[in-house]
Amino acid sequence: MMIFFKERLALLSVPKTGTTAFQAALRDRADLVISDPPELKHAPLYRYNRWIRPMFEKVCGADLEVAAVMREPISWLGSWYRYRQRPALDGKPNSTKGISFEDFLHGYCKGKPPACANVGSQAKFLEAQPNGCKVSHLFRYEDQQALKLFLEQRLDTEIQLERKNVSLQADLALSPGAEAHVRRKRAAEFELYSSIPSR
C-alpha cells in the first residue's frame, strides 16, 4: 500500500496484480509505503478503512481517494497457482506442486478451500464499506498503461516499471466445464471485473 498525501491518494496492493512493480517505481515519491508484513502491504479496503483512513482523517483532516487494480479472475487464480509451485513451498500445505490447475480451481470454489487454494477474493478485498469508503479508481491488470498514465498525471511524475514477483511457468489448461464451475461459484469476482470501465 502507498499513500500520496499531497495528491490525496491511496494505492492498495491487491496480491498478484502487478502493484509491487509500481511500489518499487514510486517508493521514493510516496509519503507512506507499507511493504511488509504482507498482511499490511496487502491490506484490503476494509482494513484500510478501519486503520489507515481514520489516521489521515482525524489527524490531518484529509479524505483520500483510493485506487486499486483487479486482475481477470481466472488469470489471477493462475498466477496464485503458479506462485505456489515455487520450491520454497515444497512439502507445505499451501504448495500446489503435484496438483492440477483444475483441481486447484475446484478447491478454490469450496466453502472452506484447502490450504493450497485458500487465496482470498478480489471482490471481498475491494468491497465498498458501509460508511461510504470505496475504491474510486479501479483499473484492470491487463491494462497496465491506463494505471501508469493515471498515476503519472496524478503524481506529476514519470514512471519506469520493472517486472517484479514473476511467477513460475505452469500448465494452466482448463476444460470448459471447470471454467463454467468457477464462473458460477465465484460470480461476484467476474461481475466486478466486468464492471470496470475501459479506459
Side-chain angles (χ1 to χ4, degrees):
M1 180 191 300
M2 289 189 292
I3 304 292
F4 304 93
F5 180 70
K6 185 177 75 174
E7 292 80 12
R8 300 295 194 265
L9 183 69
L11 177 63
L12 300 186
S13 182
V14 181
K16 315 311 292 172
T17 62
T19 46
T20 300
F22 281 94
Q23 191 171 86
L26 293 168
R27 169 174 291 281
D28 295 336
R29 177 66 178 73
D31 297 298
L32 176 65
V33 179
I34 304 176
S35 55
D36 218 21
E39 294 81 4
L40 293 179
K41 173 185 178 181
H42 298 296
L45 185 66
Y46 65 82
R47 199 167 286 153
Y48 164 84
N49 182 51
R50 184 168 183 186
W51 303 109
I52 307 296
R53 182 196 55 76
M55 178 172 66
F56 283 94
E57 186 180 88
K58 292 175 182 175
V59 177
C60 308
D63 185 24
L64 309 183
E65 291 186 339
V66 178
V69 180
M70 183 179 188
R71 190 168 181 164
E72 190 283 322
I74 291 177
S75 172
W76 183 74
L77 290 165
S79 184
W80 270 115
Y81 172 77
R82 290 184 288 118
Y83 181 68
R84 290 189 165 185
Q85 296 224 327
R86 67 193 193 280
L89 296 182
D90 285 359
K92 296 184 177 175
N94 58 343
S95 173
T96 55
K97 197 164 279 185
I99 299 169
S100 72
F101 185 44
E102 284 204 7
D103 286 343
F104 171 81
L105 291 182
H106 285 304
Y108 176 71
C109 290
K110 290 182 177 176
K112 187 175 181 184
C116 70
N118 189 10
V119 297
S121 156
Q122 293 184 96
K124 187 70 178 169
F125 189 108
L126 299 166
E127 185 176 50
Q129 299 301 290
N131 67 347
C133 180
K134 68 184 190 317
V135 174
S136 311
H137 308 280
L138 186 56
F139 297 86
R140 294 179 186 224
Y141 165 84
E142 292 73 15
D143 188 3
Q144 296 278 309
Q145 190 60 29
L147 174 61
K148 182 174 180 286
L149 184 60
F150 167 78
L151 290 172
E152 286 181 335
Q153 291 177 343
R154 184 77 177 246
L155 306 177
D156 192 25
T157 191
E158 188 176 338
I159 299 173
Q160 299 293 331
L161 293 175
E162 296 179 16
R163 294 191 75 192
K164 301 282 184 182
N165 282 358
V166 180
S167 299
L168 301 169
Q169 293 301 307
D171 181 11
L172 300 180
L174 199 57
S175 70
E179 181 173 344
H181 179 70
V182 179
R183 287 181 175 277
R184 186 176 72 253
K185 296 292 271 186
R186 297 288 187 157
E189 310 294 322
F190 294 91
E191 288 167 8
L192 178 57
Y193 182 77
S194 296
S195 75
I196 302 173
S198 298
R199 297 174 191 269

